[in-house]
Amino acid sequence: MANPIEQFKIQPLVPLKVGSVDISFTNSSAMMVLSICLITLFLTLSVRSRALVPGRWQSMAEVFYEFIAGMLRDNVGQEGRKYFPFIFSLFMFVLFGNLLGMMPIPVIGFTYTSHVIVTFAMALVVFVGVTAIGFARHGTHYLRMFFPHGAPIATAVILIPIELISYFSRPFSLAVRLFANMTVGHIILKVMGGFVVSLGAFYLIPGVVPFAFLSAITVLEFGIALLQAYVFTILSCIYLHDAIHMH
């Protein structure tokens, strides 16, 4: 059976170093570029005709647009409209990364959302951006986030550390949730695929059972890919709501 961890190995496609720093163009980089190109192509071609009665592709693009617009409206309010381009781009980037990672793409095939450094970088951008928005809108009053309004002063010694830990753990929880779900799902698929090959090669009937289970797990993994893109985005919206309105 093939090593299920081997699929997460980053392979340099164009080796490049600046001094002692490795800045090689890797399979992970290639998949990110491919995702951005496909997102751009999908949205550009889908809305190019701007038909009054939308076709299949235009309808799909409009569904994504309305989905994210509704998410922002419900979780942030009308003031969140100006942040729609960022939230929409974030959702599409995570979604395409999750889905493309399920495809058997030769040479560059890789799930970049299964690497914690990538998910943490996205989560850190969200965290820093939301914090900057909070201080820009509320000034030093934003520090009230760490001490709930109306709480007794005597509880400050307990509540402030708890709120600080909760606040600064946001990028870690956001990053680890996406990374862990995508990594575990791909490992399970790789292990089950190994069972199908080893059993099916010698015993046709016993190989049917793991193949059926693998098919079910694959469908489930596609669902998880969609769900994790949604979870990552809606949590970003919730953090944005806290920065704009405070709790």
Side-chain angles (χ1 to χ4, degrees), residues 134-174:
F135 278 107
R137 290 182 63 90
H138 306 287
T140 55
H141 185 66
Y142 187 64
L143 296 174
R144 292 289 299 176
M145 279 279 295
F146 307 114
F147 187 68
H149 180 72
I153 296 297
T155 61
V157 68
I158 297 175
L159 290 180
I160 291 178
I162 291 175
E163 290 291 337
L164 281 171
I165 293 172
S166 175
Y167 189 82
F168 284 100
S169 66
R170 285 179 173 183
F172 298 98
S173 63
L174 198 60

Side-chain angles (χ1 to χ4, degrees), residues 55-147:
R56 183 179 305 172
W57 291 104
Q58 184 176 336
S59 296
M60 191 179 301
E62 290 179 358
V63 165
F64 284 128
Y65 180 94
E66 289 295 334
F67 178 70
I68 300 302
M71 186 187 300
L72 267 172
R73 184 171 54 251
D74 295 340
N75 291 280
V76 184
Q78 291 300 321
E79 293 183 353
R81 294 177 62 183
K82 66 176 70 174
Y83 305 106
F84 174 83
F86 173 74
I87 297 297
F88 184 79
S89 300
L90 185 68
F91 173 78
M92 297 298 287
F93 186 70
V94 175
L95 177 63
F96 271 66
N98 293 349
L99 294 178
L100 286 176
M102 299 289 295
M103 308 298 177
I105 302 175
V107 183
I108 66 170
F110 187 82
T111 310
Y112 55 80
T113 50
S114 66
H115 269 224
V116 70
I117 189 64
V118 175
T119 59
F120 182 73
M122 292 190 294
L124 193 61
V125 169
V126 172
F127 176 76
V128 172
V130 163
T131 303
I133 291 169
F135 278 107
R137 290 182 63 90
H138 306 287
T140 55
H141 185 66
Y142 187 64
L143 296 174
R144 292 289 299 176
M145 279 279 295
F146 307 114
F147 187 68

